[in-house]
Amino acid sequence: MSLEDRIAAIEAKDEIRELTAKYCHGVVDGDADAIVDLFCSDGTFRMRNASFTGTEELLGMYRTGVGNKTHKPFIQNHVIEFVDGTASSGRATGRCSVEIRIFQDGEARTGAGHYLDEYRVESGSWKLYDRHYNPYHLAPWSTGWTK
């Protein structure tokens, strides 16, 4: 791999990591428009048996899901791989762990899980093409969690 290809890969991975950080900030701010702008125009969010595809469905889900809520997501352990091994493909996959702090039903709770992502370049920027949230738990702080 040439030096230019290696630099391009580093820059692309950094842009993708910032994409997921901006996602968290959008959730904290309850800003559905900012979140959906991080997705491809035909992007999808999936969780359990629910799936939302395209700008309108995503806006509806995020306006309902994060508007006036207290979600505080923290992403870590982000691993990114390019589909053909180079950033020039404009396609990548990723997995990142997430811990979510939330105040729900009068009680502080902690949630955890991971995102399985597909990223694509659209209009010159990396975007979320498919984000699949796989939850592990959502438990009250007062009782803790178990596997």
Side-chain angles (χ1 to χ4, degrees), residues 2-67:
S2 71
L3 179 60
E4 290 81 10
D5 288 342
R6 291 170 49 204
I7 291 171
I10 291 167
E11 289 175 340
K13 286 185 176 190
D14 193 51
E15 185 178 344
I16 292 168
R17 285 186 187 103
E18 285 193 12
L19 175 71
T20 59
K22 289 176 183 176
Y23 178 90
C24 290
H25 294 299
V27 170
V28 168
D29 296 341
D31 190 343
D33 293 307
I35 296 167
V36 172
D37 191 47
L38 302 172
F39 280 83
C40 293
S41 57
D42 59 346
T44 298
F45 177 86
R46 298 180 290 138
M47 181 177 76
R48 295 188 179 111
N49 296 325
S51 180
F52 306 88
T53 299
T55 301
E56 292 307 313
E57 284 188 19
L58 289 168
L59 278 171
M61 188 273 296
Y62 281 108
R63 285 182 177 147
T64 302
V66 300

